[in-house]
């Protein structure tokens, strides 16, 4: 059909793409070919088929596009998933790292608590430090001395030993003393000596961490850790700070624990001492009764016996009874002195305050010592310048002091003179009662004078044999006087005599 409609695709002898064909059919609605009824029906059918074909093609395109989009979305999701997986993996590792750090801190804290000394605590730190920081081995030091080391894993323990020996001489303490900051080192570091560098390399050490410990600004020591694997730059610095802080805290805690346990031991010792002192006081008060009662009975019955024996004129036996009596009195004096001294030392001796008639007191004491004064052929004179101020003191203790001093003067003087005086003196704007007991007896050398106030001390070894006594009287006098706020002192010259001076406040 040539020479027909120019627009009609059917007039052309060229192959048409499906889409072009459909278009051509649609455009050629006016084509005379289509006016032919049979052909028209054919064309309509063709037209329908082609339209369906075009629709399914565009649907296919659409599906294809959708599929492409779906694929892209899925790739994006996969990417996201991969990223998520990665993130999850990282946070898992971080979590593991954090829990390792926490474990390290808590181990260090319990090490600090368990240790009896800072040195021990530093050794106990090593294990958690090494595992917490993934280091193979560690050594703790106190001061400049390297202590025991701890090994988690190490390729060559023998070589490590050699490296540690070289480390001791490497001058590392100067490095540690710089400050509390942790120090990270590699064996190549020039701050080390050559020997250490060689040995460290031979032992497979790839890096070292030094954690110095300062307490109260003072260098205490440090922990040295060694790694046999290369460092992980992402982690190490943060871990290091945590480790250094934990070690410092641990050492601090160990120090506090030590001080606490020392304080606890001290207070336990104090309690024990207080308990012992209480026990001593209880013992003394019961002994005081238990010893004095039978002794007083012996003395009393001895006197009675001497009287009875005198009456029946059994003279030899009288003398024996008197000897028994004297021995009893001596023992009673000794017991009284020991008990009094112990009571003062236990802090249980109380001071009474009462108005004391000084003249009467001196007269009483002199009267009781008079037999001894007379027995040794001495002359005793007293002079009491009764002070205007009333004396408020502990009469019993005052009597005890005076009795001891006059007793000594009478005992250590033969055929001499003893003078007892009481007066008021002003010392440093304060009125004091001064009692003096002076004699012309055997006297003492300056050296002897220095120790006669100590308990159980006499001027000479032979004193007891010659004069009797136990060396407790002066010790007791001095303690009693100081309890009453005063003092006892003495001056003396060998073979010339002695002077004992007591000064006490007027009101106790
Ligand atoms: N008046 C004195 N003259 C010489 N020596 C004295 C005198 N008083 C004390 N002493 C010396 O001091 C020592 C201690 O005296 P004291 O403590 O009273 O003990 P005791 O009288 O039991 O020996 C005496 O043993 C004696 O050597
Ligand atoms: Mg005496």
């Amino acid at each position: 059909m040539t020479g027909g409609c120019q627009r009609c695709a059917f007039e052309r002898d060229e192959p048409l793409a499906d889409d072009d064909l459909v278009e051509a059919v649609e455009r050629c609605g006016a084509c005379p070919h289509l006016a032919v009824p049979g052909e028209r029906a054919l064309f309509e059918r063709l037209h329908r088929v082609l339209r369906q074909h075009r629709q399914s093609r565009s649907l296919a395109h659409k599906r294809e596009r959708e599929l492409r989009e779906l694929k892209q979305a899925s790739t994006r999701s996969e990417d996201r998933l991969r990223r998520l997986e990665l993130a999850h993996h990282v946070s898992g590792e971080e979590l593991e790292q954090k829990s390792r750090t926490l474990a390290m801190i808590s181990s260090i804290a319990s090490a600090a608590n368990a240790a009896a000394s800072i040195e021990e605590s530093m050794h106990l730190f090593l294990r958690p430090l090494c595992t917490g920081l993934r280091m193979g081995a560690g050594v703790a030091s106190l001061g400049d001395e390297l202590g025991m080391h701890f090994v988690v894993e190490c390729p060559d323990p023998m070589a490590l030993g050699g490296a540690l020996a070289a480390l001791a001489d490497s001058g590392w303490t100067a490095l540690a003393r710089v400050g509390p900051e942790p120090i990270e080192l590699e064996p190549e570091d020039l701050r080390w000596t050559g020997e250490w560098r060689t040995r460290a390399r031979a032992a497979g050490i790839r890096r070292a961490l030094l954690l110095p410990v300062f307490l109260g600004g003072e260098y205490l020591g440090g922990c040295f850790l060694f790694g046999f694997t290369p460092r992980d730059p992402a982690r190490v610095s943060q871990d290091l700070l945590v480790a250094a802080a934990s070690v410092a805290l641990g050492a601090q805690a160990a120090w506090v624990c030590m001080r606490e346990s020392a304080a606890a031991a001290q207070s336990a010792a104090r309690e024990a001492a207080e308990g012992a002192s209480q026990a001593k006081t209880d013992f003394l008060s019961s002994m005081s009764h238990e010893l004095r009662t039978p002794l007083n009975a012996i003395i009393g019955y001895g006197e009675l016996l001497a009287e009875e024996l005198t009456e029946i004129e059994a003279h030899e036996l009288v003398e024996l009874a008197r000897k028994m009596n004297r021995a009893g009195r001596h023992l009673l004096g000794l017991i009284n002195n020991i008990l009094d001294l112990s009571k003062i030392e236990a802090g249980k001796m109380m001071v009474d305050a009462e108005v004391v008639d000084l003249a009467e007191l001196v007269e009483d004491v002199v009267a009781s010592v008079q037999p001894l004064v007379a027995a040794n052929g001495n002359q005793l004179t007293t002079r009491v310048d009764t002070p205007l101020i009333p004396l408020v003191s502990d009469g019993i203790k005052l009597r005890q002091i005076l009795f001891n001093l006059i007793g000594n003067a009478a005992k250590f003087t033969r055929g001499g003179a003893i003078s007892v005086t009481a007066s008021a003196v002003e010392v440093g704007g304060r009125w004091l009662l001064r009692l003096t007991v002076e004699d012309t007896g055997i006297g003492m050398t300056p050296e002897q004078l220095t120790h006669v106030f100590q308990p159980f001390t006499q001027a000479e070894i032979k004193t007891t044999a010659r004069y009797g006594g136990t060396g407790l009287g002066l010790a007791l006098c001095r303690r009693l006087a100081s309890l009453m706020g005063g003092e006892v002192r003495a001056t003396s010259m060998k073979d010339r005599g002695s002077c004992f001076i007591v000064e006490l406040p007027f009101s106790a």
Side-chain angles (χ1 to χ4, degrees):
M1 288 198 280
T2 46
C5 175
Q6 279 305 301
R7 294 186 302 156
C8 181
F10 298 99
E11 292 295 309
R12 296 199 299 268
D13 243 358
E14 43 189 67
L16 283 174
D18 288 351
D19 282 355
D20 294 340
L21 186 64
V22 172
E23 208 177 299
V25 172
E26 279 173 348
R27 216 174 36 239
C28 281
C31 179
H33 294 290
L34 296 178
V36 184
E39 280 188 7
R40 185 177 171 81
L42 181 70
F43 272 105
E44 270 175 5
R45 220 176 110 213
L46 183 66
H47 181 93
R48 207 171 44 250
V49 168
L50 283 174
R51 186 188 294 276
Q52 277 172 359
H53 170 72
R54 205 177 71 155
Q55 274 174 355
S56 58
R57 280 237 349 225
S58 88
L59 205 66
H61 274 307
K62 199 174 155 205
R63 290 279 173 271
E64 207 175 300
R65 207 172 50 244
E66 279 176 1
L67 196 68
R68 218 171 24 247
E69 279 172 7
L70 214 64
K71 267 190 181 164
Q72 277 172 358
S74 121
T75 317
R76 273 201 303 277
S77 306
E78 265 175 21
D79 271 0
R80 206 173 297 152
L81 206 65
R82 248 196 313 279
R83 277 204 301 278
L84 268 173
E85 264 177 9
L86 207 66
H88 174 72
H89 182 64
V90 168
S91 72
E93 255 192 22
E94 245 173 40
L95 206 66
E96 195 205 315
Q97 175 66 21
K98 282 201 173 118
S99 60
R100 223 177 29 241
T101 309
L102 270 177
M104 175 177 78
I105 294 171
S106 81
S107 307
I108 288 175
S110 50
N113 202 25
S117 65
I118 296 186
E119 190 179 12
E120 196 186 328
S121 79
M122 302 254 290
H123 289 141
L124 291 175
F125 292 169
L126 282 180
R127 179 192 293 270
L129 273 178
C130 286
T131 43
L133 294 174
R134 293 182 199 257
M135 298 296 269
V139 60
S141 83
L142 206 67
D144 293 343
E145 295 293 317
L146 283 177
M148 279 164 52
H149 64 273
F150 173 76
V151 178
V152 184
E153 52 169 6
C154 157
D156 188 346
M158 284 290 284
L160 178 67
L164 289 180
L167 178 68
D169 305 324
S170 67
W172 65 274
T173 46
L175 201 64
R177 285 174 186 279
V178 171
E181 297 299 319
I183 302 166
E184 222 191 322
L185 295 151
E186 289 176 11
E188 283 70 30
D189 202 301
L190 287 176
R191 283 174 287 184
W192 301 104
T193 59
E195 176 67 6
W196 151 257
R197 280 208 298 273
T198 317
R199 298 273 193 135
R201 225 174 292 147
I205 294 174
R206 304 282 293 272
R207 60 203 175 95
L209 297 178
L210 174 53
L211 306 172
V213 176
F214 280 73
L215 260 187
E218 292 271 319
Y219 173 72
L220 185 80
C223 289
F224 229 121
L225 310 179
F226 308 103
F228 302 97
T229 52
R231 78 193 285 270
D232 178 352
R235 301 246 154 68
V236 162
S237 56
Q238 197 192 343
D239 280 3
L240 249 186
L241 285 177
V242 174
S246 326
V247 168
L249 269 177
Q252 187 87 30
W255 190 58
V256 170
C257 290
M258 267 171 59
R259 283 211 310 190
E260 269 179 4
S261 64
Q266 212 174 26
S267 88
R270 197 171 43 240
E271 268 169 31
E274 277 165 9
S277 153
Q278 184 56 44
K280 187 174 164 189
T281 312
D282 294 346
F283 172 77
L284 285 177
S285 68
S286 70
M287 279 317 273
S288 166
H289 179 75
E290 296 297 321
L291 290 173
R292 282 190 245 231
T293 312
L295 206 52
N296 279 323
I298 291 171
I299 294 166
Y301 286 122
E303 273 169 11
L304 210 64
L305 193 62
E307 277 171 27
E308 296 283 329
L309 290 170
T310 313
E311 266 179 32
I312 58 163
E313 295 183 8
H315 301 297
E316 279 180 23
L317 292 176
V318 170
E319 193 43 41
L320 286 180
R322 289 212 171 115
K323 273 188 183 165
M324 190 181 86
N325 223 330
R326 278 199 296 276
R329 284 188 188 283
H330 176 79
L331 194 57
L332 186 62
L334 174 64
I335 288 169
N336 283 340
N337 282 350
I338 290 178
L339 291 175
D340 281 352
L341 270 176
S342 307
K343 207 169 169 186
I344 292 173
E345 257 152 40
K348 302 288 171 185
M349 181 72 94
M350 298 299 149
V351 177
D352 285 335
E354 58 189 345
V355 177
V356 176
D357 184 334
L358 193 61
E360 191 187 308
L361 186 142
V362 172
E363 204 178 302
D364 272 3
V365 175
V366 167
S368 64
V369 193
Q370 195 57 51
L372 180 62
V373 175
N376 284 337
N378 296 317
Q379 291 291 322
L380 191 147
T381 52
T382 57
R383 202 185 81 221
V384 178
D385 296 333
T386 315
L388 293 173
I389 325 155
L391 174 64
V392 178
S393 190
D394 189 323
I396 292 178
K397 294 185 177 54
L398 198 55
R399 204 176 282 265
Q400 238 174 320
I401 295 172
L402 208 56
F403 181 81
N404 266 302
L405 296 182
I406 303 177
N408 277 349
K411 186 162 68 166
F412 297 110
T413 310
R414 300 276 151 101
I418 299 165
S419 81
V420 179
T421 62
S423 56
V425 289
E426 200 186 346
V427 178
R430 213 167 135 235
W431 282 96
L432 295 175
L433 165 67
R434 178 181 285 171
L435 299 168
T436 60
V437 178
E438 206 172 350
D439 64 58
T440 56
I442 61 169
M444 287 170 277
T445 63
E447 198 277 325
Q448 288 171 338
L449 202 54
T450 56
H451 57 253
V452 288
F453 285 99
Q454 288 161 15
F456 299 105
T457 309
Q458 295 182 311
E460 283 179 288
I461 311 258
K462 48 187 192 248
T463 306
T464 311
R466 219 180 267 174
Y467 303 94
T470 51
L472 280 176
L474 288 182
L476 187 61
C477 286
R478 179 162 271 183
R479 281 170 176 71
L480 286 174
S482 95
L483 210 61
M484 293 159 78
E487 62 164 28
V488 180
R489 54 180 192 274
T491 55
S492 186
M493 271 178 83
K494 187 83 184 146
D495 302 326
R496 300 288 290 275
S498 312
C499 179
F500 285 82
I501 301 156
V502 184
E503 279 175 359
L504 295 169
F506 264 96
S507 31

